[in-house]
Amino acid sequence: MKKVWRQGGLLVVACGVGFLLGWGLGAMVPASRRGEAVMPDAAAKVRRGPVNSSAQSKAHDYRTLRADVKEQLEGGELIGVIERMKDTELRALLEGWEDKSWLDVQLRKRMNIAVKLAAAELFKRQGIPALEWAEQSGRREMFSAMVEAAACREPKVAREWVDRLAAAHGRVHGDYVSVAARQAARMRGSSDLLEIEQLYNSKMFGKVPEFADGFDFTGYMRNSADEFSCRSTLRYLAAADPEAAAQFLKDGFAEKGKVDWLVVGAAALDGRASMTSEEEATRWIGELAGMIDEGRRGAFTLSLGVRAASDERIGALIKNLPEDQDRLDLAQYFMLKLESEGKALTALRAMDSESLRVRALERRLRSYDPAELADPAKRSEVGGKFEALMENLQMSDSGRQQVRALLPEAR
């Protein structure tokens, strides 16, 4: 289902970020495509309302539109009103946008949608002259709305204007427009999104990505150099289609992809957890880890710790990973810096045997440079932290002696 709402040639994109159009169009987008924690078959239908006779009979000036908004005019009716406005009326609507004294918060959000629609319609009719008019007005919100409309409809044409907006009113406003351009591209397809990433450098990302039907997730993630976008895309795919996400990862993402493997495991786990429980999500990722080829499996397992902030997730991962070697790999993520001692302790406690805990502690000690541990102060510091871990784990004397034997002073 393509998340693009068309009515009489007007393209409306729900962007889902800050002041962007997604503020009020969320109800028109299937819930599963918005990334909400519901199953895909529970997705709402896209609202496509025909323009009714009452909207056709309305006057189209700014004052009447204000009344329309107060009456909660929306959907096809609102688009119909905007499309029948004259150019001068569209400009009046944009010029009056900054006068919000008569609006409460909810009405202001609806009015913002109306203004975005007006900007899109005016750009469709006039193109560059509409951008020039908005820029010359000196009004930031109006100029930003017009540049956003251009970026969503004609991203190559709009590229120069994004820079001009940023120069006049601050980089953040140019970044917001870049987000809108990227979201519009997602709604068109993967090749469009890859092209947009070459045009727009901003790494900002909307709260909830949306994708067109037929979006080539695998092709996009293999060819995109934007790690943040790839993570968000994989997170979405794991939530919406876990089989496709698992197949993508099993096929060997790093072989042709441009993004490091160390970003993908946590993204896939987050996406699956948003649709199920932590236990079920970690069981799914554990089964998947067992299918990853040996050359990438260690890095994949290590990456699962990136977002494992809760004791619940850490414990579930240790429990559900298929092999002891996987558990040791994950524990090393939390033990690489003993500043994360609390998480390391959680991972070690979740292991089902003292022998495995000893192996984890020995592995961490062996990772130190011997020359570093030859320094008495450093050796004392490291030894103290390991002693504290072993005490908290209530390890046996024999287990503690195995670990202590790796410190230089015990050799």
Side-chain angles (χ1 to χ4, degrees), residues 20 77 117 161 258 277 298 303:
L20 301 180
E77 290 183 320
L117 293 172
W161 292 89
K258 298 178 180 179
S277 65
S303 79

Side-chain angles (χ1 to χ4, degrees), residues 143-164:
F143 187 28
S144 180
M146 191 60 64
V147 175
E148 180 184 322
C152 290
R153 188 178 182 88
E154 298 288 346
K156 290 182 180 179
V157 172
R159 185 65 190 86
E160 172 193 350
W161 292 89
V162 172
D163 290 340
R164 290 165 72 159

Side-chain angles (χ1 to χ4, degrees), residues 101-120:
S101 59
W102 57 279
L103 289 170
D104 64 21
V105 173
Q106 292 303 315
L107 292 176
R108 184 177 303 143
K109 290 180 179 179
R110 289 194 212 114
M111 196 66 191
N112 286 339
I113 295 171
V115 169
K116 301 293 184 180
L117 293 172

Side-chain angles (χ1 to χ4, degrees), residues 87 91 119-135 143 146-147 149-150 153-154 157-158 161:
D87 290 4
R91 290 190 178 194
E121 180 66 17
L122 190 62
F123 178 77
K124 183 180 74 173
R125 295 180 192 179
Q126 297 185 354
I128 296 298
L131 289 165
E132 293 172 339
W133 166 76
E135 181 182 39
F143 187 28
M146 191 60 64
V147 175
R153 188 178 182 88
E154 298 288 346
V157 172
W161 292 89

Side-chain angles (χ1 to χ4, degrees), residues 142-320:
M142 187 166 72
F143 187 28
S144 180
M146 191 60 64
V147 175
E148 180 184 322
C152 290
R153 188 178 182 88
E154 298 288 346
K156 290 182 180 179
V157 172
R159 185 65 190 86
E160 172 193 350
W161 292 89
V162 172
D163 290 340
R164 290 165 72 159
L165 173 65
H169 300 288
R171 178 179 175 180
V172 65
H173 300 290
D175 286 343
Y176 279 136
V177 170
S178 297
V179 171
R182 287 182 178 223
Q183 182 54 52
R186 284 186 198 91
M187 312 270 278
R188 295 192 295 269
S190 56
S191 59
D192 285 71
L193 181 54
L194 288 168
E195 182 180 6
I196 286 293
E197 288 180 358
Q198 300 300 313
L199 284 172
Y200 295 91
N201 297 323
S202 171
K203 300 300 182 182
M204 291 180 66
F205 199 74
K207 294 180 180 178
V208 184
E210 303 164 43
F211 299 89
D213 275 354
F215 189 93
D216 182 3
F217 292 98
T218 297
Y220 168 69
M221 289 188 285
R222 287 194 187 281
N223 291 287
S224 174
D226 186 336
E227 292 189 3
F228 189 69
S229 180
C230 283
R231 288 199 304 271
S232 297
T233 300
L234 182 58
R235 187 179 301 117
Y236 166 84
L237 187 62
D241 191 346
E243 290 185 6
Q247 188 62 51
F248 169 71
L249 293 169
K250 286 187 292 184
D251 284 346
F253 175 61
E255 185 174 343
K256 294 182 180 179
K258 298 178 180 179
V259 177
D260 194 315
W261 257 79
L262 290 177
V263 307
V264 300
L269 179 57
D270 278 349
R272 194 72 195 121
S274 72
M275 304 295 284
T276 62
S277 65
E278 285 287 334
E279 177 66 26
E280 185 175 340
T282 52
R283 188 182 303 117
W284 172 78
I285 207 74
E287 292 174 357
L288 175 57
M291 302 175 191
I292 300 295
D293 70 80
E294 290 299 325
R296 301 185 179 94
R297 184 161 164 176
F300 177 79
T301 305
L302 192 67
S303 79
L304 298 177
V306 173
R307 294 290 295 272
S310 70
D311 289 351
E312 179 187 10
R313 175 169 289 189
I314 294 170
L317 281 169
I318 293 293
K319 172 185 174 182
N320 288 308

